[in-house]
Amino acid sequence: MLEMLSYDVSDLFTFGSLGAIVFGSLAGLIIGTLPGLGATIAVVLLLPLTYSMTPLASILMLIAAYQGSEYGGSISSIILGIPGTPAAVATTIDGNALARQDKAGLALGYSLAASTIGGIIGGIVLIFLAVPLARLAVRFSDPEFFLIGVAGLIAVSALSSRNGVKSALSVFLGLMVGTVGLDAFTGIPRYTFGTLELLEGVGMIALLTGMFAFSELFSIITRELGKTFASGSKKLSTGLSLAQLRLILRPATIGAGIGSVVGIFPGMGAGPASWFAYIQAKKSSRTPEQFGKGAPEGIAAPEAANNATVGGALVPLLALGIPGSPSTAIILGAFIIHGIQPGPNLFTNSGDLAMGLFYGFLIATLVMYIAGRLVTNFFARTLTISNTYLVPVVLILSIVGIYASKGLHFNLWLALGVGLLAFLMKRLDYSLPSFILAFILSPIIEESWRRTMLLSDGSLSIFVVRPYSATLLVLIVLFLLATALGLSRARMRNLE
């Protein structure tokens, strides 16, 4: 704490440092907005620029891009109903619903304010709880990660569809697709059908873009090709009144708390965090029936969560040298480029750099808010474009995003096939969010389960004898009981 108070913040207010933060925020926001792209690609594209920059400026630029892209993903989710990243899928449910009520600017205002709250809280967690929380996270092992993944699947399958059976089937399909590729333990190809492009698994960007972008385009073409969703500049203002800000303060705080904690655990990331936050916000809301219809809480909670995970993911990177997400793994590369090794020695050997990153993170969050206010209106106005013109624009951006990710024509055909399947799933009321979350968690669940069974020689008692896993088991049971009780009460009310 004394080191933080004695840090010379003037190092942050130089042209190089501030310019890097502003450039990173704008680049991340723009890249995050494009369907199919996201935080990882934003950080990757900026990484080559760090060779000629100072360590502080280069790492702050990447962190700002990471932060900005997490908010940027909500713009396409709200405006077009097409999430650019898994973290923005939950935002789509209420964000796009509110936008279709001619309140796109209001939805984006909720998202920007919540993202800023999440970023600030994530930064505070990074500053004050880095070392102790990292020590707690490192005590978790495969049994705990397996149970966390299972808890996420149980939660989303219980709340994401009106039909519980179809939601469960969506989870099952997502888990299956997540197993495509080389077996992590044996190296044997699984469900690749002899296709070399599937050896690394189904591409996340191709799957995500096909499932949401292409399927949405099919829906627009078949139902409302000539429709224009909004008009009039007054409906596109992203400013919030104090009453509107107070409305989202509680769910944003809940989401930020969840995102900060989930972000610390390597491999979890913003996708599961946003869903956990959405689920908790719905359970604690006084009007849960409004979720899915444009509820501000349904926008604020996941948006605060995915931005808070940025700070959480940096905790194990800075304190232990362990990346908490793919984006922080790339940021680790920037440290290595400058000959710096993150970890416990960072605070002793490069204390000024660590303190600069702590304070710089908060500045990057504020810059993200300012940049969001300046450019979000421009993106919000895409809703004033008729679908006749919007469809080819989105199609071109989606194709560019898919091809740029790996440079494979195969992924374009894969996205087209996924889009057709997702279009049918939506028509039949299957749950796309359940599918996506299951796909994200599939490798975590499978690998953690197999390692756990190897450690215990196939005995399930390992989940009971370990205090952390036993605690998680109790929480899962309590959640199932609470869900069953809620369903029972709902049935009783319907009978009355």
Side-chain angles (χ1 to χ4, degrees), residues 118-133 256-257 259-261 264 308 311-312 315 358 361-362:
I120 291 173
I121 292 178
I124 292 172
V125 168
L126 174 64
I127 291 172
F128 292 101
L129 301 178
V131 174
L133 284 180
S260 298
V261 174
I264 292 170
V315 169
F358 287 163
F361 184 92
L362 295 177

Side-chain angles (χ1 to χ4, degrees), residues 292-314:
K293 302 176 183 178
E297 298 162 287
I299 301 171
E303 278 306 298
N306 61 43
N307 274 85
T309 57
V310 178
L314 289 171

Side-chain angles (χ1 to χ4, degrees), residues 266-428:
M268 294 301 289
S274 64
W275 276 111
F276 294 155
Y278 183 86
I279 292 163
Q280 184 57 41
K282 184 175 182 179
K283 289 179 66 67
S284 61
S285 174
R286 296 178 181 176
T287 56
E289 69 279 358
Q290 294 299 316
F291 277 65
K293 302 176 183 178
E297 298 162 287
I299 301 171
E303 278 306 298
N306 61 43
N307 274 85
T309 57
V310 178
L314 289 171
V315 169
L317 174 65
L318 298 182
L320 299 173
I322 301 173
S325 68
S327 298
T328 52
I330 300 166
I331 295 174
L332 174 61
F335 276 98
I336 295 174
I337 287 173
H338 291 282
I340 301 170
Q341 180 59 50
N345 293 330
L346 176 68
F347 300 95
T348 55
N349 300 336
S350 305
D352 286 345
L353 175 61
M355 296 304 108
L357 294 177
F358 287 163
Y359 285 114
F361 184 92
L362 295 177
I363 295 174
T365 301
L366 297 177
V367 170
M368 177 198 71
Y369 176 79
I370 296 170
R373 286 300 305 272
L374 292 175
V375 304
T376 295
N377 281 350
F378 170 76
F379 290 105
R381 292 178 189 278
T382 59
L383 268 185
T384 64
I385 301 174
S386 170
N387 283 338
T388 306
Y389 304 102
L390 191 59
V391 166
V393 171
V394 174
L395 179 62
I396 292 172
L397 290 176
S398 299
I399 290 174
V400 170
I402 295 168
Y403 188 76
S405 64
K406 289 191 176 181
L408 297 175
H409 290 93
F410 173 82
N411 281 347
L412 297 175
W413 293 106
L414 175 64
L416 178 61
V418 169
L420 289 170
L421 176 62
F423 175 69
L424 294 174
M425 288 178 67
K426 287 199 294 186
R427 283 289 185 92
L428 298 173

Side-chain angles (χ1 to χ4, degrees), residues 53 90 138 140 164 168 242 251 395 433 446 469 473:
M53 301 172 66
V138 81
F140 276 40
L242 287 177
L395 179 62
E446 181 194 6
S469 58
L473 268 177

Side-chain angles (χ1 to χ4, degrees), residues 244-262:
Q244 290 168 333
L245 185 60
R246 284 196 295 268
L247 184 63
I248 65 166
L249 187 59
R250 183 172 179 271
T253 304
I254 292 173
I258 292 173
S260 298
V261 174
V262 172

